[in-house]
Amino acid sequence: MQTFFVEIKCALGKTYDVASALAEAEIASEIHSIAGNYDILAKFYVPQGVDIGHFVGEKVQTIPGIVDTRTIIAFKAF
């Protein structure tokens, strides 16, 4: 499995709507509200060989209320 995180910036007033849509889609293993430049941090697992860029572009960025994302690819958990 490939592990990656996506920081998500939401349109004003849409953070809870975006978090709910992520949860309903059942594509993220964890969804957290965060402080700073982004509103949500979501953790994802996909099988080896899945194109993370396509996954984020097709499954995450298409959720209404998302205005920006930043993907962080994880190499190893300690």
Side-chain angles (χ1 to χ4, degrees), residues 50-70:
V50 169
D51 186 308
I52 291 173
H54 282 172
F55 179 91
V56 172
E58 295 170 4
K59 306 272 186 187
V60 179
Q61 293 175 337
T62 57
I63 293 173
I66 293 178
V67 297
D68 192 20
T69 62
R70 179 174 174 240

Side-chain angles (χ1 to χ4, degrees), residues 2-25:
Q2 300 179 92
T3 305
F4 63 99
F5 299 83
V6 178
E7 291 180 312
I8 300 167
K9 186 176 292 192
C10 302
L12 292 177
K14 296 297 182 182
T15 300
Y16 283 84
D17 294 338
V18 170
S20 293
L22 276 169
E24 288 174 16

Side-chain angles (χ1 to χ4, degrees), residues 65-78:
I66 293 178
V67 297
D68 192 20
T69 62
R70 179 174 174 240
T71 302
I72 303 163
I73 297 173
F75 297 113
K76 180 178 171 89
F78 295 98

